[in-house]
Amino acid sequence: MAEPQLVLYEEEHGHIQVVIDKLALEASAKAVFLVDKNGQLVAETGELRGIDTTSLASLTAGNIAATGGLAKIIGEEEFPTHFHQGDRDNLHITLIARRIILVIVFENDKSSLGLVRLRVKKASSELAHIFEEMQKKAEAAAASGADSPFAEITDDDIDNLFSD
Amino acid sequence: MSFINYSSREINCKIVYYGPGLCGKTTNLQYIYNKTNPDLKGKMISLATETERTLFFDFLPLALGEIRGFKTRFHLYTVPGQVFYDASRKLILKGVDGVVFVADSQIERMEANIESIENLRANLQEQGFDLDKIPYVVQYNKRDLPNAAPLDEMKRLLNPSNVPDFEACAHEGKGVFETLKATAKGVLTDLKSLGGR
């Protein structure tokens, strides 16, 4: 298959949450999201009221995919950082470890691009390390043939989902 | 690839609706959106042109229920069908877990159907997938039109490997949920055979 499945265990989720909570605080951000390149929301923090996080994740991944395609056309591997400026709110998007997208929403009157960039730099390396560990753990679990709850899914379980 | 989150106990999977321009991919998603309980669906996003042709993708998140304590969520995407949007189609296939090929039954669209399936196979291959190995369902849409090709002929041309297939009239909903269910079932069965990896 194209790339290994993303598996997020509680332990790593806890580590990720600590990093993004701290990032949101230090960057004075409105919200911070981590999104898988395939459009799945991995973690979130901050003021989330009224934000459609599922759509945000999908569109962010689409955006990264499209600009990644543009990068290749002009001979770049990727555009790892994006900044979208609004009247009130801004989006800062960074690609981490080529697989995870860090999205920061910040307001003009509470933070600045410089501050966000500074804080993102440190958080990115911490997050990259966590995702490397996650990848190793998933590969080790795959190699050892460790039990997964999904190995035991029965046809009945699947049929029950569609029973109505 | 599917995303398993042990922290929130969720499985997220991606299904892509593929097919030639104007075959009814977006119509499938719109019907699913209109007929699904609001608690089970998110917002449907359509990145379309002013003439309502899909420009990049449509997106519809759906929750199906729980399996073994894990919430199963499906993210449905369509690709832009028009030939010149091939670069966008490739991007949307990234990380796909299951594919629906929506064929246009009109006899004059048969060549476009064949070309689109060949394009699907090539684009999947580029992403490291094999159409013969991933969960895959074929839908013969627009069966209600007078110029629809005979079903046997469509099966012979578009589904030689005999994957699950369904007749449909997507605008009135016929065959839409049958197609989705068969694909979702294929994806979950695949997840089971992979042992969750």
Side-chain angles (χ1 to χ4, degrees), chain A residues 155-164:
Chain A
D155 288 348
D156 283 346
D157 285 333
I158 296 172
D159 286 335
N160 286 341
L161 275 183
F162 304 107
S163 54
D164 54 320

Side-chain angles (χ1 to χ4, degrees), chain A residues 63-113:
Chain A
N63 187 8
I64 284 283
T67 47
L70 282 174
K72 286 195 177 66
I73 289 172
I74 64 158
E76 277 289 327
E77 182 56 35
E78 199 101 52
F79 292 126
T81 304
H82 301 226
F83 172 55
H84 300 293
Q85 188 170 17
D87 283 341
R88 194 188 66 237
D89 291 331
N90 311 289
L91 277 183
H92 187 277
I93 301 174
T94 324
L95 192 59
I96 296 173
R98 294 180 166 227
R99 171 132 199 209
I100 301 293
I101 306 162
L102 174 64
V103 184
I104 300 184
V105 186
F106 66 97
E107 291 169 281
N108 283 327
D109 54 0
K110 291 191 180 154
S111 186
S112 68
L113 180 58

Side-chain angles (χ1 to χ4, degrees), chain A residues 32-47:
Chain A
V32 175
F33 302 92
L34 272 180
V35 178
D36 171 39
K37 244 183 159 180
N38 296 330
Q40 317 278 9
L41 185 67
V42 176
E44 56 188 306
T45 190
E47 293 172 41

Side-chain angles (χ1 to χ4, degrees), chain B residues 9-27:
Chain B
R9 300 197 75 76
E10 285 179 5
I11 321 169
N12 289 279
C13 305
K14 178 174 179 178
I15 293 175
V16 174
Y17 283 69
Y18 213 92
L22 294 174
C23 68
K25 301 172 290 292
T26 301
T27 310

Side-chain angles (χ1 to χ4, degrees), chain B residues 36-49:
Chain B
T36 304
N37 182 330
D39 298 340
L40 303 178
K41 68 185 176 193
K43 201 173 154 196
M44 180 165 164
I45 292 175
S46 288
L47 301 180
T49 65

Side-chain angles (χ1 to χ4, degrees), chain B residues 18-36:
Chain B
Y18 213 92
L22 294 174
C23 68
K25 301 172 290 292
T26 301
T27 310
N28 264 267
L29 256 65
Q30 279 167 341
Y31 187 83
I32 294 165
Y33 180 79
N34 290 334
K35 294 291 173 184
T36 304

Side-chain angles (χ1 to χ4, degrees), chain B residues 88-155:
Chain B
S88 301
R89 277 194 293 278
K90 287 179 189 178
L91 298 176
I92 293 152
L93 283 175
K94 282 184 180 178
V96 67
D97 293 299
V99 176
V100 175
F101 183 81
V102 182
D104 189 329
S105 291
Q106 298 178 90
I107 209 149
E108 57 269 32
R109 294 296 286 160
M110 219 46 62
E111 209 169 303
N113 288 326
I114 293 167
E115 196 181 309
S116 181
I117 284 195
E118 284 169 0
N119 175 255
L120 168 63
R121 184 175 288 280
N123 283 346
L124 279 172
Q125 218 157 25
E126 223 172 278
Q127 307 292 337
F129 296 105
D130 182 345
L131 183 61
D132 298 325
K133 289 183 182 157
I134 67 166
Y136 174 49
V137 170
V138 176
Q139 181 189 79
Y140 311 108
N141 193 22
K142 307 192 189 182
R143 295 307 298 162
D144 54 332
L145 293 184
N147 53 344
L151 190 62
D152 289 353
E153 179 71 359
M154 290 196 76
K155 280 179 184 263

